[in-house]
Amino acid sequence: MNILERYHAMEYGPAPEARNEADAWLAARDFGKALFIGGDWKAASGGKTFDTSDPSSRKLLAKVSDAGAADIDAAVSAATKALPKWSASTGYQRAKVLYAIGRAMQRHQRLFAVLESIDNGKPIRESRDIDVPLAIRHFIHHAGWAQALDRDFPGHKGVGVVGQIIPWNFPLLMLAWKIAPALAAGCTVVLKPAEFTPLTAILFAEICERSGVPKGVVNIVQGGPEAGGAIVNHPGIQKIAFTGSSEVGKIIRKATAGSGKKLSLELGGKSAFVVFEDADLDSAVEGLVDGIWFNQGQVCCAGSRLLVQEGIADAFIAKVKTRMSRLRVGSPLDKNTDIGPLVDLTQLDRVKGLIAEGAKQGAICWQPDSALPAAGYYHLPTLATGVSPANILAQEEVFGPVLATMTFRNTEEAIELANNTRYGLAASVWSENINLALHVAPQLKAGVVWVNGTNMFDASCGFGGYRESGFGREGGREGMFEYLSAKLPLGPIIKPATSSARPVEQAEGGAIDRTAKLFIGGKQVRPDGNYSFAIASAKGKLAGEIGLGNRKDIRDAVATARACKAWPEATAYNRSQVLYYLAENLSGRADEFAARLTQLTGATAKAARDEVELSIERLFLYAGLADKFEARVHQPPARAVTLALHEPVGVVGIIAPDNAPLLGLISLVAPALAMGNTVVAVPSEKYPLLATDLYQVIEYSDVPAGAINIVTGRSAELAGVLAKHDDVDGLWVFADAETCAKAEAESIGNLKRVWTGNGHSLDWPSNEAAGDALLRRAIEVKNVWVPYGD
C-alpha cells in the first residue's frame, strides 16, 4: 500500500476531551442550594428541584434548585439594595470588576467549555474555541465601556434593576451578552438561565464571588416558567432582556405593556443563505456547514434557508451532499465531532415532527447514510429539496440540523425569497462580486448580514433582529443603549378624551363652508365612513368640522405609505432638502398658523408665534441631521469590518398629543421622515385643524406622495388600529395611559417597535425633546460583516 492509499484509508480515531475536572466539580457542589441571591447560595424557598441531564447519554448530571416567585422577590430585593452603591461607583471601579470576571473566566475556560458541552450537547470544539472565548471577550470589552460612559453616552445612566432570561442553546455566551453591558452601565441583575442548561451559570456565579462583584449586583436564579413569569411581572424590575422563542417574546411584550419597563427581545429566525452563481462554491459549502449545522442547528440565526441560483444549483447541492456525508455525529466531548446531540427529547421530537410535515407538503428530505450513537438525542443532518416558499420547513424555525433549499433566477427574486419570512434576524450573501453582495445586503430585512461568511460575532458589533425576530441590539455601542436611559422631559399627564357636546353656535365670519378631509397618498380624501366631527375654538364656537377616520382609512394610509418607495430610497441629502423646503414653506405661512393656534387653544399671540417658530426650527434641525446621523464602521478582532448601517424602521404610525399641537406633531413626524421612514400620523384629537392646515404646505414642498399621511379622528381608536396592523413597523403613541398600554399589548402581531409616553406628553419646547434621542427611535441598525484578505 503506497502513501496515497494509506492516506485515503485513514479513519479518525476518538479524541475525547477529559471530563474529570468537570465531574469533580459536579460531585463537590450542592445543587440543592444553587440559587445565587445577594451573594449567598440558597435552596429554593419551596424546596423544589429540577433535573439537568447529559443529552449525549441521557444520564442525570444534577438536581438543581427550582426558584419560585418568593425566590425571585428575594433576588430583586437584593439587586435593589445593591443598586445605589453600584450605580454610584465610578466607571473605573466597575471596569475593574468586569475585567476581573473576564480574567477569572480565562483561568477556568476549559472547565467552562467541558461543562457547556456535557450540559448542552454542543461539540467541545465549539464551546472551547467559540463560546467561552467570546464570552470572556464580552466582559473585557465592556470593561472599556464602563469607563467610557460619560464620554460616549452623556446624559445617560443605567436603567436600574434588570431582569434577564436566557435560552439553552448558548448558555454561557448569552449570559455574557446580557450581564456584561448591564454591569458596565451600572445596573444590577437578576438572571434566569434555561432549565435544560443551568451549569455554566452556576460556575459563573462562583466566578462572581471570586472577582469582587459586590453582593446583590449579580443574582442568578435557576428555574422554570414560574421563575420567568415572576421576573417579567415583578414591579421592582425596570428592564427585561429576553432571548428565546418569538412565541414567548410576544407573551412578554403583552405582559409588560403599560408597565414602563424597558424591553429588548432577541427572538427566532429563519435566516437566508444566498449563493449567487459567481460564488466560490467550496467556500460557500463550508460556510453553509457552519451556518446550519453549527450547534446542531440550534441557533436563532442559523442559515436554515438555502437560496441558490439556478445555474449552479445541481452542482452546489451535489457538493453539499458530499460534505454532509463526511460530517461526524457523535460524542460532544470528542474533538472530531461535528454534530452532537440535540438538547432534549422534546426538541428531538419537535424536529422530527417538522421534517415529517415538510415531507407531507412536498419536500424531499435527504440524510447521509451514517449511523447514530445508541444513546442520546441525536439527529442526522437533513437536506430538504423541492421546498416551496410556503412549506413549513421554509417558514417555521426548526431549531435543528435541517436545511431547506430553494432556487432563484436573478437578484430581484433572491431578495424577494430571502425576505419572504416573518423573521428578520440574519442572512448570508455569497458572491465574488463585492458590488453585488453590497447591493443585496441593504435590501435584506435582517439585523445582521454576513458577506462571504456566517456566524461572525463580536462584542464590539451589535446583534439583533427586525420583525418577529425581536427588537433591541446586543453588543457594541448600540447594545449599551439597551441598558441606559436618558430621561426625556415630561409634559403634562394626558387624560382620556371625553365626548363633549358639539358646539352649536356658528363661528363668526362669512367664509365658504369647508370640511377638512384626510391626507392620504398626497391627496385630500374624504373619510371612508363619510362622518365628521366638530372642532371647537377656545371660545367654544365652531372652528370647523373634521373628517372622522376609521379602520379602513388607516388601512389605505398604511398601504400608501408601504408603497411609497421614493422617500426611503432617496438619499439623506435629498431628504434634507425636502425638510428644509417644508420649513421654508411653513415659515411663509407662520402668521396664519399662529392665528390658528390662538383661535383653537387660546394661546397668546406671542406664545402661538413662538410655537410656530420653534416648529420651523425643528424642521430645520432634522433637515440638517438627515445626512449627519450616520452609520459607523466597527473593527472586530478579525479580518473583517462591520458596517453598522442606519436604516429606516419602515412605516411608522404616530399618535400626536394635544399639548403644543403643532410643535408636538412636527417634533414626531420630522425625525421619522429625516431617517427615511414613511408616516401615518393621527394629529391631536382636540386641535386637528392645525394638521389639516399643513396639507397645502406638504403638497408644494416636494414631499413624495405617501411619505406623509394624516388621518384625523379618535386617537384611542386609531392607535389600536395601527397597533394591530402588521404592515406598520413602528408606533409612537402620546396619549392617555390606557391607550398607551393597549398599543403595546396589541402590537404583538408583528412585534412592531412601540414607543409611548406612558400617559405623559413631553415638554416639546425643551431641547431634550429633540435630536439624537428621537432619531435613534427612527432607525434600525443593520450590521453588515465584510471580510477581507486572502
Side-chain angles (χ1 to χ4, degrees):
M1 182 180 287
N2 61 36
I3 293 176
L4 185 60
E5 289 170 333
R6 288 180 184 276
Y7 174 78
H8 288 300
M10 282 195 302
E11 293 184 359
Y12 286 101
E17 174 73 32
R19 57 176 291 168
N20 54 306
E21 287 197 25
D23 287 334
W25 182 84
L26 287 166
R29 167 153 283 288
D30 179 4
F31 290 97
K33 293 182 179 179
L35 305 183
F36 186 66
I37 298 174
D40 296 322
W41 294 98
K42 299 181 179 181
S45 58
K48 292 196 300 181
T49 63
F50 63 87
D51 295 346
T52 184
S53 302
D54 182 340
S56 69
S57 65
R58 309 192 184 195
K59 291 181 179 178
L60 179 70
L61 292 171
K63 289 183 173 292
V64 181
S65 306
D66 188 356
D71 302 304
I72 300 303
D73 192 54
V76 174
S77 295
T80 303
K81 182 179 178 181
L83 180 64
K85 187 174 181 180
W86 180 249
S87 61
S89 63
T90 67
Y92 174 52
Q93 289 170 325
R94 294 198 300 275
K96 286 193 295 183
V97 170
L98 283 158
Y99 181 72
I101 292 172
R103 292 292 282 163
M105 291 176 71
Q106 282 180 327
R107 292 193 292 273
H108 298 278
Q109 59 186 0
R110 188 56 65 96
L111 177 57
F112 272 113
V114 175
L115 282 175
E116 196 81 326
S117 288
I118 65 176
D119 202 18
N120 168 275
K122 64 176 59 190
I124 187 67
R125 288 188 293 115
E126 295 176 9
S127 56
R128 180 195 65 202
D129 300 341
I130 299 172
D131 291 25
V132 176
L134 190 51
I136 294 166
R137 158 83 171 143
H138 270 266
F139 283 99
I140 294 177
H141 174 80
H142 283 90
W145 277 127
Q147 273 190 279
L149 281 184
D150 291 340
R151 185 195 71 186
D152 286 81
F153 303 93
H156 289 73
K157 65 177 183 177
V159 295
V161 177
V162 177
Q164 301 176 324
I165 302 171
I166 60 174
W168 45 259
N169 57 335
F170 290 91
L172 181 65
L173 187 54
M174 293 297 101
L175 176 151
W177 282 21
K178 297 277 190 293
I179 290 182
L183 297 190
C187 302
T188 55
V189 167
V190 177
L191 179 136
K192 189 194 87 66
E195 308 96 289
F196 290 151
T197 52
L199 297 183
T200 49
I202 296 170
L203 177 57
F204 176 80
E206 293 181 359
I207 293 292
C208 290
E209 282 187 297
R210 303 170 193 168
S211 303
V213 178
K215 291 186 175 185
V217 169
V218 173
N219 304 273
I220 295 180
V221 284
Q222 322 293 335
E226 181 186 351
I231 289 173
V232 168
N233 294 303
H234 201 290
I237 287 177
Q238 285 77 52
K239 173 185 166 62
I240 299 294
F242 172 77
T243 296
S245 70
S246 297
E247 291 73 22
V248 176
K250 291 180 179 182
I251 293 170
I252 292 173
R253 165 73 282 183
K254 192 168 186 178
T256 57
S259 67
K261 292 177 182 175
K262 196 168 185 178
L263 179 64
S264 55
L265 301 173
E266 196 266 280
L267 307 176
K270 197 68 186 173
S271 301
F273 191 101
V274 186
V275 182
F276 286 94
E277 60 189 0
D278 65 343
D280 179 337
L281 298 192
D282 291 326
S283 294
V285 168
E286 291 307 309
L288 185 62
V289 169
D290 184 41
I292 179 57
W293 291 302
F294 174 59
N295 197 21
Q296 296 72 257
Q298 298 171 133
V299 183
C300 53
C301 56
S304 56
R305 289 187 301 140
L306 170 62
L307 309 179
V308 58
Q309 200 154 13
E310 279 185 357
I312 59 165
D314 291 343
F316 190 74
I317 294 300
K319 286 178 178 287
V320 171
K321 286 183 176 180
T322 299
R323 187 66 178 87
M324 288 173 67
S325 67
R326 293 172 182 163
L327 293 172
R328 296 176 63 85
V329 181
S331 167
L333 289 184
D334 189 331
K335 300 180 185 71
N336 295 318
T337 293
D338 297 304
I339 298 179
L342 299 181
V343 74
D344 187 76
L345 180 60
T346 56
Q347 184 65 14
L348 179 62
D349 288 343
R350 181 178 185 276
V351 171
K352 288 179 177 178
L354 286 169
I355 291 173
E357 182 59 31
K360 244 187 237 184
Q361 295 178 8
I364 301 168
C365 297
W366 180 89
Q367 296 174 336
D369 184 15
S370 304
L372 290 177
Y377 308 116
Y378 289 94
H379 194 288
L380 286 172
T382 303
L383 173 67
T385 55
V387 176
S388 71
N391 190 291
I392 194 169
L393 296 179
Q395 289 298 322
E396 294 299 322
E397 185 179 36
V398 177
F399 227 60
V402 182
L403 176 65
T405 304
M406 292 169 279
T407 61
F408 63 88
R409 288 164 291 184
N410 54 38
T411 303
E412 291 72 24
E413 188 177 11
I415 294 167
E416 185 176 356
L417 283 170
N419 290 336
N420 182 35
T421 172
R422 68 182 189 273
Y423 298 109
L425 190 54
S428 296
V429 180
W430 292 79
S431 171
E432 289 296 282
N433 183 344
I434 194 66
N435 292 325
L436 173 62
L438 293 180
H439 167 70
V440 171
Q443 298 182 69
L444 300 180
K445 295 297 183 184
V448 180
V449 179
W450 297 294
V451 173
N452 293 329
T454 190
N455 282 341
M456 292 183 277
F457 309 100
D458 187 65
S460 65
C461 306
F463 180 86
Y466 293 8
R467 297 173 169 173
E468 290 188 40
S469 289
F471 46 79
R473 293 293 180 266
E474 297 191 274
R477 179 182 177 84
E478 51 264 45
M480 282 302 302
F481 277 115
E482 300 300 328
Y483 292 92
L484 296 167
S485 66
K487 297 293 184 184
L488 292 174
L490 294 179
I493 293 175
I494 300 174
K495 297 179 181 179
T498 55
S499 56
S500 56
R502 182 173 299 187
V504 294
E505 187 176 351
Q506 181 66 37
E508 296 177 358
I512 296 174
D513 185 72
R514 172 175 174 262
T515 299
K517 302 179 180 67
L518 315 182
F519 188 71
I520 299 175
K523 299 177 181 178
Q524 298 184 43
V525 297
R526 287 187 173 86
D528 168 67
N530 279 320
Y531 284 100
S532 61
F533 65 104
I535 300 300
S537 71
K539 297 179 179 179
K541 295 187 177 182
L542 183 66
E545 294 196 48
I546 205 83
L548 185 63
N550 64 15
R551 177 185 57 81
K552 185 176 182 300
D553 298 310
I554 291 291
R555 186 191 71 188
D556 292 343
V558 171
T560 302
R562 176 68 66 192
C564 176
K565 304 299 182 186
W567 188 251
E569 292 176 1
T571 66
Y573 175 57
N574 285 341
R575 293 198 300 270
S576 74
Q577 288 180 300
V578 171
L579 290 171
Y580 277 130
Y581 201 17
L582 269 171
E584 177 185 330
N585 289 327
L586 179 58
S587 179
R589 296 175 59 178
D591 290 343
E592 176 186 336
F593 277 88
R596 177 70 93 176
L597 269 167
T598 297
Q599 176 200 18
L600 294 175
T601 68
T604 65
K606 182 181 183 306
R609 184 71 190 209
D610 287 346
E611 181 171 340
V612 175
E613 289 298 328
L614 193 48
S615 299
I616 297 165
E617 184 180 329
R618 285 283 156 86
L619 284 169
F620 246 65
L621 170 69
Y622 289 114
L625 291 176
D627 60 355
K628 297 174 185 64
F629 191 70
E630 295 180 300
R632 290 173 175 260
V633 177
H634 301 308
Q635 294 179 277
R639 292 191 305 169
V641 292
T642 307
L643 314 176
L645 305 180
H646 288 179
E647 296 188 339
V649 170
V651 176
V652 175
I654 291 175
I655 306 296
D658 288 337
N659 74 307
L662 178 64
L663 178 59
L665 177 65
I666 286 178
S667 293
L668 292 168
V669 170
L673 291 175
M675 293 296 98
N677 299 283
T678 54
V679 170
V680 176
V682 177
S684 160
E685 181 176 334
K686 193 174 181 181
Y687 309 118
L689 291 171
L690 285 158
T692 61
D693 288 349
L694 280 172
Y695 293 173
Q696 288 184 339
V697 176
I698 296 169
E699 286 170 334
Y700 55 68
S701 296
D702 293 340
V703 179
I708 307 175
N709 305 274
I710 299 176
V711 179
T712 55
R714 306 299 184 195
S715 294
E717 175 188 338
L718 299 181
V721 177
L722 285 165
K724 293 175 183 177
H725 201 304
D726 285 351
D727 247 3
V728 175
D729 304 295
L731 180 59
W732 301 353
V733 182
F734 285 88
D736 61 276
E738 182 181 357
T739 299
C740 291
K742 283 185 176 179
E744 290 180 331
E746 293 174 347
S747 69
I748 62 172
N750 67 341
L751 282 173
K752 59 177 62 67
R753 286 88 176 114
V754 181
W755 172 37
T756 79
N758 291 309
H760 279 269
S761 189
L762 294 185
D763 178 13
W764 298 108
S766 169
N767 289 333
E768 288 75 22
D772 288 7
L774 275 73
L775 292 173
R776 276 195 299 274
R777 299 181 186 277
I779 61 164
E780 294 275 18
V781 180
K782 170 183 286 181
N783 280 270
V784 179
W785 287 71
V786 185
Y788 57 81
D790 294 333

